Every structure is written in structure tokens, then in C-alpha cells.
Amino acid sequence: MAPRVAYRQPQAGGQGFARTKKVFGGPVLTLTAADVALNAQTAIMRVPKGFVLMSWSGTVGDIDSGATLMLAIGDAGNNARFMAASNIGQAGAALPALAAGGVLYEFTDDTDILLTATVAAAGLAATPTINVLMEGYMK
């Protein structure tokens, strides 16, 4: 005899029905010198229209051989929507918490997530990598 299904859980679907978790991003990207020049922008992922961002995780490697690099993560509308200018790429670390404006942000169009070098790197270090995963649901 088959067990009785007592729960009401939506099935995972391609559209993220009933707030089924979706994760965008990855794999690890290796940056070039042009990616960390002053005001350079690099699209590190694309999220679809209707995606609502709940959280993110990831790591940034040691990108700068010196101590000048400042990075921001955002989109074309606000280059610091998710992470304001940070020196995270100078020694490498886990991503900080989302900026306040990024929590529960709903994307109204297919959107490229942009890594912006707000202050240029002195030079590339040994591990110029970034890996960002955005978690949320489709509205």
C-alpha cells in the first residue's frame, strides 16, 4: 500500500512555481587585467525577468597584486545595488551580506549582473577569480 501524501508542496518547475528556489551564477570566473582597470565592467551572470533575490553567496580570490582595487557588484541601473565599493579583491574573501537595496529586489527585465572596478588594481595577483551565486525565486 502506498503512503498517504499529507503535505501540500508544489513541485519544482521550470518557472519557479510557488517560490521554488532558483540559483543563478557560477562557475568560477577568472578575471583579466582589463576587467580590473578603472571603471571596467564585467558581466558575471544574467538573471531573468521576474527573479526575486533573497540572498547570495560566493568568494572572491586575491585579484590585486597591490592594495588599491575596489570592486562593486550591481547592474546597469545601479552598479552598487548588491555590494558597494569594497576592497574584497585585495586579499580574497567570502562575499559580504547583500546591500540593503538588494534584498528582495525584483528584476523587471533579463539583467546582467556587473562587476565594476571603482578603483583600478595595481596588477593581477595569483588567483584573480570570482564566484557568485544568487538565490531567490521567480515571481
Side-chain angles (χ1 to χ4, degrees):
M1 180 174 192
R4 181 180 76 85
V5 177
Y7 58 83
R8 297 169 110 187
Q9 179 179 346
Q11 298 303 303
Q15 299 300 315
F17 297 105
R19 298 196 170 123
T20 303
K21 179 179 170 181
K22 297 290 181 185
V23 180
F24 295 99
V28 174
L29 302 174
T30 300
L31 302 175
T32 66
D35 296 333
V36 291
L38 181 61
N39 294 323
Q41 291 188 315
T42 305
I44 57 175
M45 77 177 79
R46 176 169 275 221
V47 295
K49 175 182 179 177
F51 179 68
V52 178
L53 178 61
M54 293 174 31
S55 64
W56 74 347
S57 61
T59 57
V60 176
D62 182 5
I63 299 170
D64 190 3
S65 63
T68 59
L69 179 64
M70 297 289 282
L71 298 172
I73 299 177
D75 55 34
N78 178 348
N79 71 351
R81 187 179 312 278
F82 310 113
M83 182 181 81
S86 169
N87 65 357
I88 191 170
Q90 291 177 10
L95 287 173
L98 274 172
V103 178
L104 296 178
Y105 180 77
E106 181 181 343
F107 293 89
T108 56
D109 281 311
D110 290 351
T111 304
D112 284 332
I113 304 303
L114 303 173
L115 175 71
T116 303
T118 58
V119 177
L124 280 182
T127 55
T129 59
I130 184 167
N131 185 16
V132 178
L133 299 171
M134 291 188 157
E135 302 177 26
Y137 59 90
M138 299 300 293
K139 187 165 185 185

